[in-house]
Amino acid sequence: MPKLSAVIAALEALWPPERAEEWDAVGLVCGDPDAEVSRVLFAVDPVHEVAEEAVRTGADLLVTHHPLYLRGTTTVAATGFKGRVVHSLIKNNVALHVAHTNADRADPGVSDALAAAVGLRVTGPLVPDRTDPAGRRGLGRIGELDAPLTLAEFAQRAAKGLPHTATGLRVAGDPQQAVRTVAVCGGSGDSLFGDVRRAGVDVYLTADLRHHPASEARQAGLFDEGRPSLVDAAHWATEWPWCEQAASQLDEISDRHGWALRTYVSRTVTDPWTAHAVSTEFTNSNPGAPR
């Protein structure tokens, strides 16, 4: 069995920490570099339920996309939920490693996995990494469908390709609009609207779209044949496909080195929203009608 230090070196070759954003917190959070690793669990969030799953499955290493301590800390006391996660992992000899914006920018990265999940052929990054002469790394991805779909059909395809969440998908645009090109960004993506408009795609699929950026994008689209329409999914759902992709990448490395690692992908839904209620008391079918 490989040592943790060897596995971490392999993961950092996939997602170099120096490619993370300056504000990010990636890398090894806890764990003994000399400890042996035989089982690795991949998940989006380092929350209590996932830590328990890592212990339950006998994992020696938990790899998550989201950092546990994004803004730093002065204590890991078990008086708080993050401290309890750390204590649980250490007591059970489970290391924790984070690959966040360095995995977003990678080739393949988080948005490649998202594009594959909704049936897109990737043609390039949405925001290319200037340090990549091959032009493959960067934030987001631009992709094409094998055959045109309507917006309604594409939304249904996305709903089937992504894991189920309580909130599902929100769609903004003409349901009958023809869709051939799609920009995707795993996680929060409304900061990239300028890049999406420049790309001239039919649809933008991402998560956490706020009212004002989304409204402005739709208003701008009125002067460009309605493009881009928007599909807004749950943050967790847009990043979960990366876990399967990352596990497959580590499987290949393990086979190459003869490590015989066993990799697992958490299917614990850690999206914070647990229910969805639809209002039936108000309709905008006649927006000019008096109240």
Side-chain angles (χ1 to χ4, degrees), residues 202-215:
D202 300 317
V203 176
Y204 183 33
L205 166 61
T206 187
D208 297 340
L209 291 182
R210 295 170 295 165
H211 174 85
H212 291 296
S215 176

Side-chain angles (χ1 to χ4, degrees), residues 20 57 60 66 68 71 102 122 170 192 219 244 263:
T57 58
D60 308 294
H66 289 152
L68 180 63
R71 293 174 176 82
N102 48 333
V122 171
R170 300 186 297 178
L192 303 182
Q219 289 297 306
E244 290 194 322
T263 61

